[in-house]
Amino acid sequence: MEKGEEEGLGRVRRGRAHRVAARKEGSKQVKPYLTRKIEPYNLLSEEELEKVELYADRILWEVGLEITDHPFSLDLLRGAGAKVEGTRVRCEGAMLREIIRGSAPREFTQHARNPEKSVVIGGKNTVFVPAYGPPFVRDLEKGRRYASMEDFSNFVKLAYMSESLHHSGGTVCEPVDLPVNKRHFDMVYAHLRYSDRPFLGSVTAGERAQDTVEMAKIVFGSDFVDKNCVVVGLINANSPLGFDKTMLDALCVYAENNQGCLVSPFVVGGAMSPASVIGIVTQTYVEVMLGMALTQLVRRGSPVVFGSFASTMSMQSGAPIFGMAESSLVQMGVSQLARRLGVPCRSGGGLCTSKIADGQACYEASNTLNATLMSGVNFVLHSAGWLEGGLSMGYEKFMMDNDQLRNVARLAEGVDTSDESFAFDAFEEVGPGGHFLGSLHTRRHFETAFIGPGLSDVNSYEQWKEEGERDMLSRAHDAWKRSLLEYERPFMDEGIDEGLKDFMGRRKASMPDREY
Amino acid sequence: MEKGEEEGLGRVRRGRAHRVAARKEGSKQVKPYLTRKIEPYNLLSEEELEKVELYADRILWEVGLEITDHPFSLDLLRGAGAKVEGTRVRCEGAMLREIIRGSAPREFTQHARNPEKSVVIGGKNTVFVPAYGPPFVRDLEKGRRYASMEDFSNFVKLAYMSESLHHSGGTVCEPVDLPVNKRHFDMVYAHLRYSDRPFLGSVTAGERAQDTVEMAKIVFGSDFVDKNCVVVGLINANSPLGFDKTMLDALCVYAENNQGCLVSPFVVGGAMSPASVIGIVTQTYVEVMLGMALTQLVRRGSPVVFGSFASTMSMQSGAPIFGMAESSLVQMGVSQLARRLGVPCRSGGGLCTSKIADGQACYEASNTLNATLMSGVNFVLHSAGWLEGGLSMGYEKFMMDNDQLRNVARLAEGVDTSDESFAFDAFEEVGPGGHFLGSLHTRRHFETAFIGPGLSDVNSYEQWKEEGERDMLSRAHDAWKRSLLEYERPFMDEGIDEGLKDFMGRRKASMPDREY
């Protein structure tokens, strides 16, 4: 499948011309987020959900959680009625549920700097978000290497150009060429400047979360930020059964600023949680309840999401495995618990273990993504780009996943059962043995009847062969190159841009570079 | 990813040794079919299902179906109350439903010559069956070429060796090196001789269906065959709204012999059916009802399955598209209608449009397969091997799909919610910040906690790189070669084998070779 660079670029340019032409014919209005018209799948019975609650409550009371180096959180929990002994917190599940249900919003809007791209998180809505956290990137030409700030900006741009993603994400890859204590400035700036979609903020230290909020205030205005969610932070638990200072600091900053928290335990079943689906679900519920309640104790009504990220494990080698059925079942279970609590849910994505965007990666990603959609998850981190268990962000995988998001979005639309859609007139017109292509009904619905092939090749074998027997990976390679060529920065008021640069400049100058 | 032949064989042999060793440690008991423990997903509401019925009944009465060159079927339908004018049949939906519900079995056993491998079709059961019909085969070494009888036998052997498939299938590929009018003998013989699983019979002519039944009688005995289902035929409608002589002849042969029929319209939305999901569902329902009712008019109580096979279409090029959301929605709809009628359902599989087993193929196959599982489909033709819209049977794809069937089978098992599975003792033992790997609970469930990686590579990036950066396709290549090396023919009584050969010899000698 490898081609000379020159020929490759020619393809890219031809592709660009096609695309521009297609746009002139009238491109589809991109929806800022998905509103599902199909019901979520309910895996667990009411009785089973009650049993989860029962065991969760026993864990909360009989085992408890560890809150390390964070007296502020301990005080809040003690004040709410928890039993605190040293760093061990024990409490009643009912108490946590009462706190959460008492003030956590069922759904909330995360505002984008372009108001047309604000997303509603929760309820029947689903928001697709790029992958988060990979220290490496991979593409077909240069292979795998450490991610740089250039890669980071590229993925922000690709997400901005995407017609399937709804969000700019957070650490779309880790820009390891920048000092650890300063890279958050550049990441937040990239999301704000190169995109106009909503984004995730820094969580690697309380002050970095605060920097994120301050930069958001420059863009949105302080008053607006105090009253509205414009940034969300990904708060991992320290599983099993704990939270550490770094994450709690970030949680407190976002909550006290009325910004959003995705409280998300990250567990590998058999390592950080039991080797059973229901064990993973129950532990996730325990950890999330504590984290969510904390956000409400910090500031009642602050937006918070019930998060879950779970992989299974190869019991032979201890390696984490993504994309398998047990993870799908966990997703289904936790999303039910989130609905039961009355809060939005985060889970799933296009997860895989494969190192490359081969068949393995695509089976695994599709397994996860289909389960995500059927589960009714609201916030889908890792929707695009994820490779090798999250260690690598793939340029081609990013485009391939994007393409697949179109498909699950169509699935979420469900079935039109209007009289028109039954096409009775076409049956009368066409009759037995006829052909529907020329029927009036088909002509009326020609443009929107079925989603198109996207990155899939649906040509005849002969045509495909003539065109060089290309695989999806090779087409995806062209697609991201083309997308970056077509990218144009969205408008930003110069004063705001200056304000951001000024803030970053001062803050960066105020501290030495550090690698932690 | 290409390797020298010698090294390749070395890998195969090493793999074999590993596998034999693994078997000695005690391999898992293979289940003859899947019994789902999770509920099917119900996409359409009761009201919507009633609307489908309403429109289906209007099509049946106001448009009608064409039955060409088959007075026998027309007489049966007229006798049952249909209005027959020439070849056009109009009838009431209620009449067809009454006939079907009156005698078609809710579920039935298709007996295998090895009784341990008999499958139950219908109810909560799911049977995975290889792909059906491709005139071409493809593998990584030899590329794409016309299928031969050797390929056919290979796929029968690979299905026999599979731990995920439950059935030997039918025309696993078309052995184009044999005369059209005689190849069914060799195909049926291969299924009977090289496997001991259930299989699908010939449908390309009434006499070939009868030959299939006669060969089955040699193996199972005439009395047994008359009382039990040992062979099933795939009966396509002539969509839209028709059935032709060939298929009706085959339907009648199987039904009158008390054997099974999969009545399956094969439609490309926008071509042989309307360009709408509910239009496809409704037309499928109409055609299937007529075909199913016919089987019951031929012989009441004969086993029959509600089949559906639907692809969408690229409205730009007219090419069929597999693996997209609309096809998943059709599957969900038709499986509900089948349950409503009280009969087994056939749909889905590992469908794709891709010419090769690349990312596209695997996304598409996984999309289809996950929807199949969630729909609660009972008989899943095309579960393994399908490439390029059914034109090609892929050796590697066959193994890759097989591997994925393990995954959906695990999904179908649902969640264990016994007290033991909640692992409360592990939470007590491990506590906050601990590790579950060494816990007693994990040790108790070590072997069965999670399904293993199978053909997926879950090693570290470094290990994967050291082992040659292989993709799933390359591992699948080794896997099918290894499986054929390990294959051993199941026992068959010599007298029966002689009987089959004798029958085939006489029948073949009785007619000239023909290419139709």
Side-chain angles (χ1 to χ4, degrees):
Chain A
M1 309 294 161
E2 283 173 28
K3 296 275 159 182
E5 173 68 3
E6 204 180 336
E7 191 186 337
L9 265 179
R11 267 202 318 265
V12 168
R13 294 206 185 96
R14 279 196 303 280
R16 186 180 187 177
H18 284 152
R19 185 148 164 181
V20 169
R23 282 205 180 150
K24 279 183 188 155
E25 289 167 23
S27 68
K28 270 194 299 189
Q29 181 65 35
V30 181
K31 294 172 195 161
Y33 55 92
L34 200 67
T35 301
R36 282 174 285 104
K37 291 180 189 156
I38 67 173
E39 292 298 316
Y41 180 74
N42 287 317
L43 174 72
L44 301 173
S45 66
E46 180 60 26
E47 197 182 17
E48 287 171 321
L49 291 170
E50 279 167 16
K51 197 164 175 181
V52 170
E53 210 162 271
L54 187 84
Y55 272 109
D57 291 2
R58 282 191 65 192
I59 295 167
L60 275 165
W61 189 253
E62 297 176 38
V63 182
L65 285 88
E66 283 284 308
I67 302 276
T68 44
D69 296 322
H70 219 263
F72 179 70
S73 294
L74 290 173
D75 286 347
L76 285 176
L77 289 162
R78 192 186 291 109
K83 190 169 98 184
V84 178
E85 294 170 335
T87 52
R88 185 69 59 105
V89 179
R90 289 182 174 83
C91 58
E92 297 205 358
M95 177 193 103
L96 297 179
R97 286 188 289 277
E98 201 183 308
I99 293 169
I100 295 164
R101 290 190 178 126
S103 60
R106 296 188 80 85
E107 56 181 70
F108 63 92
T109 299
Q110 183 186 0
H111 293 268
R113 77 174 174 94
N114 177 349
E116 288 178 9
K117 297 190 180 173
S118 296
V119 296
V120 179
I121 299 171
K124 285 185 169 292
N125 309 302
T126 294
V127 176
F128 291 135
V129 190
Y132 185 107
F136 298 96
V137 294
R138 168 179 278 273
D139 81 275
L140 212 49
E141 266 172 64
K142 298 186 196 154
R144 182 193 196 246
R145 71 266 182 195
Y146 272 107
S148 68
M149 192 60 214
E150 188 190 344
D151 293 309
F152 187 99
S153 299
N154 282 344
F155 281 109
V156 169
K157 292 171 184 174
L158 291 172
Y160 169 76
M161 296 293 284
S162 166
E163 293 180 7
S164 303
L165 289 164
H166 308 119
H167 203 278
S168 196
T171 311
V172 288
C173 59
E174 192 70 46
V176 298
D177 52 342
L178 299 182
V180 169
N181 64 327
K182 298 182 180 174
R183 60 177 69 147
H184 65 286
F185 294 111
D186 300 85
M187 292 196 272
V188 171
Y189 179 77
H191 283 301
L192 285 168
R193 185 66 197 89
Y194 303 138
S195 183
D196 58 1
R197 293 189 192 273
F199 69 100
L200 296 169
S202 178
V203 294
T204 56
E207 66 170 26
R208 296 176 200 157
Q210 192 61 53
D211 286 331
T212 305
V213 174
E214 296 308 321
M215 289 175 78
K217 285 180 182 171
I218 294 169
V219 174
F220 291 90
S222 295
D223 270 10
F224 189 86
V225 170
D226 188 58
K227 293 190 181 70
N228 297 282
C229 176
V230 301
V231 62
V232 170
L234 173 62
I235 309 298
N236 285 138
N238 188 17
S239 301
L241 304 178
F243 282 91
D244 65 23
K245 175 176 163 44
T246 304
M247 285 294 164
L248 289 177
D249 281 348
L251 178 148
C252 290
V253 166
Y254 286 120
E256 75 196 9
N257 283 283
N258 202 25
Q259 301 306 301
C261 287
L262 305 171
V263 180
S264 290
F266 158 38
V267 299
V268 177
M272 296 105 96
S273 84
S276 77
V277 167
I278 205 72
I280 297 173
V281 168
T282 305
Q283 180 185 322
T284 299
Y285 185 54
V286 166
E287 294 171 359
V288 164
M289 278 205 292
L290 193 94
M292 292 187 84
L294 253 179
T295 64
Q296 299 308 301
L297 293 173
V298 171
R299 179 160 169 172
R300 291 181 70 78
S302 64
V304 62
V305 176
F306 183 135
S308 164
F309 180 88
S311 86
T312 54
M313 190 170 84
S314 161
M315 299 310 260
Q316 277 66 51
S317 69
I321 306 184
F322 293 89
M324 292 299 197
E326 293 98 349
S327 302
S328 296
L329 294 166
V330 169
Q331 278 197 69
M332 292 172 178
V334 294
S335 57
Q336 282 185 272
L337 289 166
R339 285 194 291 278
R340 200 174 149 87
L341 263 181
V343 291
C345 178
R346 171 255 149 156
S347 187
L351 308 180
C352 66
T353 318
S354 187
K355 269 55 87 180
I356 47 176
D358 64 342
Q360 175 186 339
C362 298
Y363 277 128
E364 291 169 341
S366 173
N367 286 339
T368 316
L369 198 57
N370 277 282
T372 304
L373 196 281
M374 295 307 290
S375 300
V377 170
N378 302 110
F379 193 88
V380 189
L381 203 60
H382 312 311
S383 288
W386 177 280
L387 281 176
E388 55 166 305
L391 282 178
S392 186
M393 185 75 165
Y395 276 88
E396 288 83 17
K397 176 79 166 16
F398 188 86
M399 301 310 282
M400 290 160 69
D401 286 339
N402 255 288
D403 191 49
Q404 289 297 306
L405 292 173
R406 283 183 322 132
N407 188 59
V408 290
R410 173 65 192 88
L411 193 59
E413 279 177 29
V415 183
D416 179 0
T417 53
S418 64
D419 288 307
E420 170 67 11
S421 70
F422 276 94
F424 187 73
D425 65 309
F427 287 107
E428 288 186 308
E429 181 188 344
V430 172
H435 203 288
F436 285 83
L437 196 53
S439 74
L440 289 172
H441 182 271
T442 303
R443 284 193 237 166
R444 285 200 296 279
H445 299 279
F446 190 80
E447 297 213 358
T448 55
F450 303 123
I451 56 170
L455 282 180
S456 283
D457 182 292
V458 300
N459 292 333
S460 70
Y461 172 77
E462 290 70 23
Q463 196 175 339
W464 170 79
K465 195 177 158 81
E466 201 178 293
E467 290 176 359
E469 306 199 351
R470 303 182 71 207
D471 62 6
M472 191 186 231
L473 199 52
S474 146
R475 293 189 294 276
H477 183 74
D478 288 359
W480 72 258
K481 292 214 135 179
R482 190 187 310 141
S483 189
L484 286 183
L485 276 177
E486 289 177 2
Y487 170 80
E488 285 171 27
R489 257 185 353 182
F491 171 79
M492 175 177 265
D493 179 275
E494 261 184 47
I496 289 174
D497 195 11
E498 284 307 310
L500 287 169
K501 284 176 179 160
D502 181 59
F503 175 81
M504 286 163 65
R506 279 187 290 111
R507 288 283 294 136
K508 281 185 177 182
S510 75
M511 57 184 120
D513 293 356
R514 284 206 321 262
E515 286 311 312
Y516 55 91
Chain B
M1 305 296 160
E2 282 172 26
K3 295 276 161 183
E5 173 69 1
E6 202 178 336
E7 191 186 337
L9 266 179
R11 269 204 316 267
V12 170
R13 294 206 183 96
R14 279 195 304 278
R16 185 179 186 177
H18 283 153
R19 185 147 164 182
V20 169
R23 283 205 178 150
K24 279 183 186 153
E25 288 167 22
S27 68
K28 270 194 298 189
Q29 181 65 34
V30 181
K31 294 171 195 163
Y33 55 93
L34 201 66
T35 301
R36 282 174 285 106
K37 292 182 189 156
I38 67 174
E39 292 298 318
Y41 180 73
N42 288 317
L43 174 72
L44 301 173
S45 66
E46 180 61 24
E47 198 181 18
E48 288 172 319
L49 292 170
E50 279 167 16
K51 197 165 176 181
V52 170
E53 211 162 89
L54 187 84
Y55 273 108
D57 290 2
R58 283 192 64 192
I59 295 167
L60 276 165
W61 189 253
E62 297 176 37
V63 182
L65 285 90
E66 283 284 308
I67 303 277
T68 44
D69 297 321
H70 219 262
F72 179 69
S73 293
L74 289 173
D75 287 346
L76 286 176
L77 288 162
R78 190 185 292 111
K83 189 170 97 181
V84 178
E85 293 168 336
T87 51
R88 184 68 59 107
V89 180
R90 289 182 174 83
C91 59
E92 298 205 357
M95 176 193 104
L96 298 179
R97 286 189 288 278
E98 199 183 309
I99 293 169
I100 295 163
R101 289 192 178 124
S103 60
R106 294 190 79 85
E107 56 180 73
F108 64 90
T109 299
Q110 182 185 0
H111 294 268
R113 76 173 177 93
N114 176 350
E116 288 178 10
K117 296 188 182 175
S118 297
V119 296
V120 178
I121 298 171
K124 286 184 168 291
N125 308 303
T126 295
V127 176
F128 292 134
V129 191
Y132 185 106
F136 298 96
V137 294
R138 168 180 277 276
D139 81 273
L140 210 49
E141 266 172 65
K142 296 186 199 156
R144 182 194 197 244
R145 71 264 182 195
Y146 274 106
S148 68
M149 192 59 213
E150 188 188 345
D151 293 309
F152 187 100
S153 300
N154 282 344
F155 282 109
V156 169
K157 291 171 184 174
L158 290 172
Y160 169 77
M161 295 293 284
S162 166
E163 292 181 9
S164 303
L165 289 164
H166 308 119
H167 203 279
S168 196
T171 311
V172 288
C173 58
E174 192 71 46
V176 298
D177 53 341
L178 300 182
V180 170
N181 65 327
K182 296 182 180 175
R183 63 177 67 147
H184 66 286
F185 295 111
D186 300 83
M187 292 197 273
V188 171
Y189 179 77
H191 283 302
L192 285 168
R193 184 66 198 90
Y194 303 137
S195 183
D196 57 2
R197 293 190 192 272
F199 69 101
L200 295 169
S202 177
V203 293
T204 56
E207 67 171 28
R208 295 176 200 158
Q210 193 61 53
D211 285 333
T212 306
V213 174
E214 296 309 320
M215 288 175 78
K217 285 179 181 169
I218 294 169
V219 174
F220 292 91
S222 296
D223 271 9
F224 189 86
V225 171
D226 188 57
K227 293 192 182 70
N228 297 283
C229 175
V230 302
V231 63
V232 171
L234 174 62
I235 309 299
N236 284 140
N238 188 16
S239 301
L241 305 177
F243 282 92
D244 65 22
K245 175 176 161 47
T246 304
M247 284 295 165
L248 289 176
D249 280 350
L251 177 147
C252 289
V253 167
Y254 286 120
E256 75 196 11
N257 282 284
N258 202 24
Q259 302 305 302
C261 288
L262 306 172
V263 180
S264 290
F266 158 38
V267 298
V268 177
M272 296 106 97
S273 85
S276 78
V277 167
I278 205 71
I280 297 172
V281 168
T282 305
Q283 179 183 322
T284 300
Y285 185 54
V286 166
E287 295 171 359
V288 164
M289 277 205 292
L290 193 97
M292 292 188 82
L294 254 180
T295 64
Q296 299 308 300
L297 294 173
V298 172
R299 178 159 171 172
R300 293 183 67 78
S302 64
V304 62
V305 176
F306 183 136
S308 164
F309 180 86
S311 87
T312 54
M313 190 171 84
S314 162
M315 299 310 260
Q316 278 65 51
S317 70
I321 306 185
F322 293 90
M324 291 301 197
E326 292 98 350
S327 303
S328 296
L329 294 167
V330 169
Q331 277 197 69
M332 291 173 179
V334 294
S335 59
Q336 281 185 272
L337 288 166
R339 285 194 291 278
R340 199 173 149 87
L341 264 182
V343 291
C345 179
R346 171 255 150 156
S347 187
L351 308 181
C352 65
T353 319
S354 187
K355 270 54 88 178
I356 48 176
D358 64 342
Q360 176 186 341
C362 298
Y363 277 127
E364 291 169 341
S366 173
N367 287 339
T368 317
L369 198 56
N370 277 282
T372 305
L373 196 280
M374 294 307 289
S375 300
V377 170
N378 302 112
F379 193 88
V380 189
L381 203 60
H382 312 310
S383 288
W386 177 280
L387 280 176
E388 53 167 306
L391 283 177
S392 185
M393 184 76 165
Y395 277 88
E396 287 83 17
K397 176 77 166 17
F398 189 87
M399 302 310 281
M400 289 159 70
D401 286 339
N402 254 289
D403 191 50
Q404 289 299 305
L405 292 172
R406 284 184 319 131
N407 188 58
V408 289
R410 173 63 191 89
L411 193 59
E413 280 178 28
V415 183
D416 179 0
T417 52
S418 63
D419 288 308
E420 170 67 11
S421 70
F422 275 93
F424 187 74
D425 64 308
F427 287 107
E428 288 187 307
E429 181 189 344
V430 171
H435 203 289
F436 285 83
L437 196 54
S439 74
L440 289 172
H441 182 271
T442 304
R443 284 193 237 169
R444 285 199 298 277
H445 298 280
F446 190 81
E447 297 214 357
T448 56
F450 303 122
I451 56 170
L455 281 181
S456 283
D457 182 293
V458 299
N459 291 333
S460 69
Y461 172 77
E462 290 70 23
Q463 197 175 340
W464 171 79
K465 195 175 156 80
E466 201 178 294
E467 289 175 0
E469 305 199 351
R470 303 182 71 207
D471 62 7
M472 192 187 230
L473 199 53
S474 144
R475 294 188 294 275
H477 183 75
D478 288 0
W480 71 258
K481 293 215 133 177
R482 189 187 309 141
S483 189
L484 286 183
L485 275 177
E486 289 177 2
Y487 170 80
E488 285 170 27
R489 259 187 349 185
F491 171 79
M492 176 179 264
D493 180 274
E494 260 184 49
I496 290 174
D497 196 11
E498 284 308 311
L500 287 170
K501 285 177 179 159
D502 181 56
F503 174 82
M504 286 164 63
R506 278 187 292 110
R507 287 282 293 136
K508 282 185 177 181
S510 73
M511 55 184 123
D513 292 356
R514 283 204 323 260
E515 285 312 311
Y516 56 90

